[in-house]
Amino acid sequence: MPEVDNKKKRRPLKNLPPDRFQPKVLFIWFAIFVAAMALLYWTPGRMTSPATLKIQQVVELAEGGKIKEGVIRPDASGGRDWAVVTGELKESIPEAPGSSTMTKQFRAAGRLTDSNMERLQKAQVFAEQPATTLLTQIAAQVVPFLIIIGLLYFLFVRQLKQAGRGALSFGKSRAKLLTRDRDKVTFADVAGCDEAKEEVAEVVEFLKDPKKFTKMGGRIPKGILMVGPPGTGKTLLAKAVAGEAEVPFFSISGSDFVEMFVGVGASRVRDMFEQGRKNAPCLIFIDEIDAVGRQRGAGLGGGNDEREQTLNSLLVEMDGFDTTEGVIIIAATNRPDVLDSALLRPGRFDRQIYVDLPDLVGREQILRVHARKISLAENVELSIIARGTPGLSGAELANLLNEAALLAARRNKKKVEMIDVDDAREKVQFGRERRRLMDDEEKKLTAFHEAGHALVQGVLDDGYLPVHKVTIIPRGRSLGSTMFIPKKDVLTHAKQRMLNQIAMGLGGRIAEETVLGDISSGAAGDIKQVTKIARHMVCDWGMSPLGPIAYGDNHDTVFLGREITRNEKYSEETARRIDEEIRRIIDEQYQRATQIITERRDALEKIANALIEFETIEGKHVLEILQHGNIQTPVFRDPLTKQDTKPVEKRPPEKNAAADTLPGSSPAPTPA
């Protein structure tokens, strides 16, 4: 399959700021405090000191109409009939005798007789306030300061605690506790892994009734390691165990233990187990444990780095607790080959559960689980979808239904129909259609290339890997595709089927050379694929005269602490014979495919012309051309798909852009 390099620049994600001491916040609060004090004590009426008068002077000024307003407040602290009179004059007077500062404010304190009181009341400019005591005076002066000091203390202490929490929380576990109500998952939400559910079912029974096992002398496994390809539901199955047992579920990633500071990972491991003991019975789930559980002593320099200290602490903690405490460790990884052997021994991870890709029945069950939230039309048959999606994981099946729902919504439909699911399946498995600008010569080259693949496979197919669809519309990184969908799951690789796949992979290049008299770089992906299959046949599967001897296991990873130097496990003579056998297999299938295309030249041209006219034909149309000489059933054109595709603006061809003008070929038909 030709590949087009379409690299897109991605904006880097910005890290969130750490929780630390923020001096800007303190500066803002300090400015607010200063402003409040200024408003409280530096009001315009207090910019100058009030003039000190006698009670008799105040009485005379009041009778002369020179006082604007005033307040009479009895003051028991000065003695009997003692009062304090404050107010504002209509005209300014000196603050003190001989002073140049003028003020309208005055204050008088002294004995206020009944006669003077009557004279002041007649002026009708004074208001009376209740008498003040020593306690109220102290409260009026002290309480505002206490409130302000308390507010500042609260703000400073909070900032300091947040700063300390960021510095002292490195050793705390980052395990997240899932709530039982909102995040509850049960076995009904997990499908396609019945054997794995049976393995963990006894863990649920133990968490519900531990005495059932302990009275028989049995011991529940301390740790359960889930192994399997990505997307098969390892994390979902662990959550279902906690949901069925109705116990707390702590989830953490293996990368959360490793930090740049020495001893932080080990401290987090100890804190995680301590949290588990406090919340027992509970489950602790460690996802991607290979990030911290790799083999010790790995690397060229060796040494005891931070990751190894974390692993040592994990090993000790798993030995230091008993399952009678009700703490069970469940870990998940898709790289069990890199884990340390001490971590996998009985007593730590006692049981390994392999969560494989779902089979036909499992895929249908998974589709039914995810189809609950999607409005499906009556013509959608999940069994047909499951039969046409071999090798897909549970996550990929969920994504397929989601893509179908999005596609139906974009087409303004009320329900998801079968055509939407088929288009979504092709988008997920082979890539989305892209309308690239191709001239007639490139379109012809691509059409004959794809016709060569379809013709060879149509002749050699034994019903195991039929042609599903042939198109010259670019999908993904290819300019054309010949799609194959196996009728059943691929469990073993037969020799004759592998040879047929090699011949089919070479059919595109042979068709170019036979019809056009020239070859292009469009068969680069095909050549890599057929070479890979042939090498597996010789080196791994024993499908050659060299015999059932494995020659492929000769590359150890240096950074796993196995071998620093990579030594070949066979001689140069054997290497030469391996290369000869690989070349022999490919040359024989090249001649075989050449004979098929030469004998059926008319069918090749009819398939290519149909591709040029319709751009996409189905596998049944290829078989009709081979059997009847022409297409018997009408070719379906989907107008909805064309509406989703925006027209491409014409542009001049770029120079030296060979990758953009490669003809298409088929994707890898089956994993080899």
Side-chain angles (χ1 to χ4, degrees), residues 400-416:
L400 187 150
L401 290 180
N402 183 63
E403 289 289 345
L406 297 178
L407 185 60
R410 191 162 61 246
R411 294 172 174 177
N412 299 322
K413 296 182 179 180
K414 295 182 179 180
K415 290 186 178 182
V416 179

Side-chain angles (χ1 to χ4, degrees), residues 211-361:
K211 295 181 179 180
K212 177 180 178 181
F213 296 87
T214 56
K215 69 180 181 181
M216 298 293 295
R219 178 180 60 85
I220 203 70
K222 287 185 178 181
I224 299 175
L225 181 64
M226 294 186 180
V227 181
T232 52
K234 299 183 292 294
T235 304
L236 188 65
L237 184 59
K239 292 181 180 180
V241 174
E244 290 287 341
E246 296 184 351
V247 296
F249 180 81
F250 291 93
S251 176
I252 191 172
S253 175
S255 60
D256 290 336
F257 292 110
V258 183
E259 288 282 354
M260 62 178 293
F261 301 101
V262 178
V264 172
S267 176
R268 288 178 178 175
V269 170
R270 292 190 293 269
D271 186 69
M272 180 186 67
F273 279 88
E274 186 64 26
Q275 290 185 17
R277 293 187 182 95
K278 292 180 180 179
N279 293 273
C282 69
L283 283 177
I284 298 178
F285 177 69
I286 306 176
D287 197 8
E288 303 296 342
I289 195 174
D290 53 276
V292 68
R294 288 178 177 264
Q295 295 181 12
R296 289 170 292 182
L300 297 175
N304 190 10
D305 58 4
E306 168 65 11
R307 183 184 56 80
E308 292 187 4
Q309 291 186 18
T310 306
L311 176 58
N312 292 336
S313 178
L314 180 61
L315 297 177
V316 173
E317 288 292 335
M318 292 193 69
D319 269 344
F321 78 97
D322 190 6
T323 52
T324 56
E325 299 178 357
V327 181
I328 297 178
I329 310 297
I330 299 180
T333 181
N334 49 21
R335 292 293 308 277
D337 56 316
V338 303
L339 295 180
D340 193 88
S341 57
L343 189 65
L344 301 178
R345 72 162 178 83
R348 292 193 176 109
F349 282 106
D350 304 272
R351 181 177 298 176
Q352 294 187 20
I353 300 177
Y354 188 74
V355 186
D356 199 359
L357 293 173
D359 56 5
L360 177 61
V361 179

Side-chain angles (χ1 to χ4, degrees), residues 535 539 550-556 563 565-576 578:
R535 184 170 294 277
C539 298
Y551 298 105
D553 188 14
N554 59 349
H555 295 292
D556 284 335
E563 294 183 5
T565 60
R566 295 179 177 178
N567 298 323
E568 300 290 345
K569 296 182 180 180
Y570 46 82
S571 63
E572 294 182 0
E573 176 64 22
T574 304
R576 184 184 61 81
I578 291 174

Side-chain angles (χ1 to χ4, degrees), residues 55 210 272 336 406 417 482 540 546 555 582 584 592 602 633 652:
I55 294 295
M272 180 186 67
L406 297 178
E417 300 178 356
T482 303
D540 298 326
L546 295 181
H555 295 292
I582 294 175
R584 181 188 63 81
R592 184 185 179 194
D602 295 339
T633 59

Side-chain angles (χ1 to χ4, degrees), residues 17-23 25 158-160 162-167:
D19 190 8
R20 60 182 181 180
F21 182 76
Q22 299 179 1
V25 178
R158 182 180 180 185
Q159 290 292 324
L160 292 175
Q162 289 181 353
R165 189 182 302 117

Side-chain angles (χ1 to χ4, degrees), residues 172-239:
K172 299 297 183 181
S173 173
R174 295 187 177 181
K176 299 179 181 179
L177 177 62
L178 275 68
T179 59
R180 302 182 184 180
D181 297 332
R182 186 182 62 179
D183 302 322
K184 186 175 181 180
V185 180
T186 61
F187 284 155
D189 301 320
V190 183
C193 51
D194 296 337
E195 295 82 2
K197 287 197 292 186
E198 292 176 0
E199 289 282 343
V200 298
E202 64 182 20
V203 176
V204 177
E205 295 182 10
F206 171 78
L207 292 173
K208 291 182 176 180
D209 187 13
K211 295 181 179 180
K212 177 180 178 181
F213 296 87
T214 56
K215 69 180 181 181
M216 298 293 295
R219 178 180 60 85
I220 203 70
K222 287 185 178 181
I224 299 175
L225 181 64
M226 294 186 180
V227 181
T232 52
K234 299 183 292 294
T235 304
L236 188 65
L237 184 59
K239 292 181 180 180

